[in-house]
Amino acid sequence: MGQKTQAAGGCLIALVGAGAGLAVWAVNSRHRFQRFEQGPNWSVLYAELPLMVLGGVAAALGLWALGQRVRARR
């Protein structure tokens, strides 16, 4: 596999991981955002959302790197 293909694959995997992190965050975000008898909880947007997206990217790239290492041993 060429370097350009590997780079494109890594970028695609990072994008898929970011989308997965965003999807996991969005599942129940409405309930976390509104607190009972209080104002909105803005930490859901500035803390949880970026952490979930970055976590999805890190997990996806980690799995991709592990797959590349296993594939290289063959």
Side-chain angles (χ1 to χ4, degrees):
M1 191 182 303
Q3 286 182 343
K4 289 182 181 180
T5 306
Q6 284 183 343
C11 290
L12 182 63
I13 292 295
L15 186 64
V16 168
L22 181 61
V24 169
W25 175 83
V27 168
N28 206 8
S29 65
R30 184 177 301 261
H31 297 296
R32 289 189 313 258
F33 187 69
Q34 293 295 329
R35 294 183 291 183
F36 182 69
E37 293 185 3
Q38 295 178 0
N41 184 8
W42 293 107
S43 70
V44 171
L45 293 177
Y46 69 79
E48 289 182 20
L49 177 61
L51 288 175
M52 287 300 289
V53 171
L54 290 175
V57 170
L61 288 177
L63 288 173
W64 181 72
L66 181 66
Q68 290 294 321
R69 175 170 278 183
V70 168
R71 203 164 162 219
R73 286 187 180 178
R74 288 184 177 180

